[in-house]
Amino acid sequence: METDKIWMNGELVASADAKVHVLSHALHYGSGVFEGIRAYATDRGPAVFRLMDHLRRLERSSEVYFMQLPYSTEELRQATHEVIAANGLETCYVRPLAFRGHGEMGINPLKCPIEVVIAVWPWGAYLGEEALESGVRVMTSSWRRIGPNTLPATAKASGQYLNSQLAKMEAMHSGYDEAILLNEQGYLADGSGENVFMVQDGVLSTPPTTASCLPGITRDTVNRIARGMGYEVREVDIVRSDLYHADEVFFTGTAAEITPIRSIDDHEIGAGPITKRIQTEFFAITKGLSDLSPEFLDYPAQTAAKA
Ligand code: PPE
């Protein structure tokens, strides 16, 4: 999975040299914010999917934690294209990470420098190639999703993924592919690294962001695709048994793309036709094969104004 070069604090460095001090604040206290982005091969070369939307979310995440990013979104956009090209990749995952480096130890993060890296690597289907077709087996985690007054779920911060890791490990140990988490009120929030949609009688439902789910960019893309196809999409609170009764349930996420959920807590659902239709359109858009939303694809030669 490792590639040659990583963009680190303004320059491309050999992957083996992209190192941090063991007293980096982020290593001890989880003080980082990050993004997950994908680039897809198109006729015009690698296109980064909704790059500026991801970088704007990175900026919003950093703002929550008073991390002043030393680079503008336009600089990070160019750096992303640079590191993809430097590694000769057409299709890849892109991981920008801004974190508190080595300054002073102690919880107060404000004296630590902000470091920024962008790494890229080839990353196939997140939950397995087979999962994109037939779906995954999911369990409801016994861990609750972090609440808005614990850690804001809308900021994509490194530390909050300890919550996701607890749920993911529980799912692995219990023989499932993935976990979904309910919030403190008992309503559906997120998967460990995905948003969740359900389909009932041709209507799509997904939790509102007030339910502590990440405002996913794939979630937004699916909203647009589904509405464009004439489906109603609702943001409503969902309880776990709503999912058991659903006609279809699926995950959305940059890494997971659109993955059907085949069963939840051993209630069989199966991969359904509406999920498939949306997934097909999603992949067409990402690969530049659809007339819909060409503005979602960011190419290296584009000007800032067009991005
Ligand atoms: N919820 C969570 C908790 C989450 O981590 C992600 C992305 C999403 C929803 C979907 O958001 P979006 O990618 O904008 O559609 N999870 C990232 C990290 C996965 C990982 O294992 O690392 C991702 O998909 O890149």
Side-chain angles (χ1 to χ4, degrees), residues 34-37 54 57 93 95 123 126 145 156 160-161 164 190-195 213-219 252-256:
F34 70 98
E35 272 304 318
I37 313 173
H54 281 282
R57 189 171 65 186
Y93 187 79
R95 169 57 55 81
W123 210 2
Y126 187 57
R145 176 80 166 141
K156 199 168 165 60
Q160 75 190 39
Y161 281 83
S164 290
D190 254 347
S192 75
E194 309 89 353
N195 291 118
C213 66
L214 185 77
I217 289 166
T218 322
R219 172 181 178 271
T252 66
T254 299

Side-chain angles (χ1 to χ4, degrees), residues 117-179:
V117 300
I118 307 174
V120 294
W121 62 85
W123 210 2
Y126 187 57
L127 297 165
E129 207 50 59
E130 163 79 13
L132 286 178
E133 203 52 46
S134 338
V136 285
R137 294 179 60 247
V138 167
M139 69 175 281
T140 305
S141 179
S142 65
W143 296 99
R144 294 300 170 104
R145 176 80 166 141
I146 46 176
N149 292 310
T150 310
L151 290 172
T154 49
K156 199 168 165 60
S158 304
Q160 75 190 39
Y161 281 83
L162 285 169
N163 177 237
S164 290
Q165 289 177 45
L166 286 172
K168 183 81 189 185
M169 288 187 288
E170 185 183 28
M172 296 288 101
H173 290 148
S174 310
Y176 293 89
D177 302 314
E178 184 55 293

Side-chain angles (χ1 to χ4, degrees), residues 96-126:
L97 168 69
F99 63 98
R100 303 261 187 197
H102 180 30
E104 276 182 21
M105 288 306 280
I107 291 170
N108 178 7
L110 297 169
K111 299 255 171 71
C112 297
I114 308 292
E115 303 214 36
V116 184
V117 300
I118 307 174
V120 294
W121 62 85
W123 210 2
Y126 187 57

Side-chain angles (χ1 to χ4, degrees), residues 54 79 237 292:
H54 281 282
D237 279 328
L292 290 178

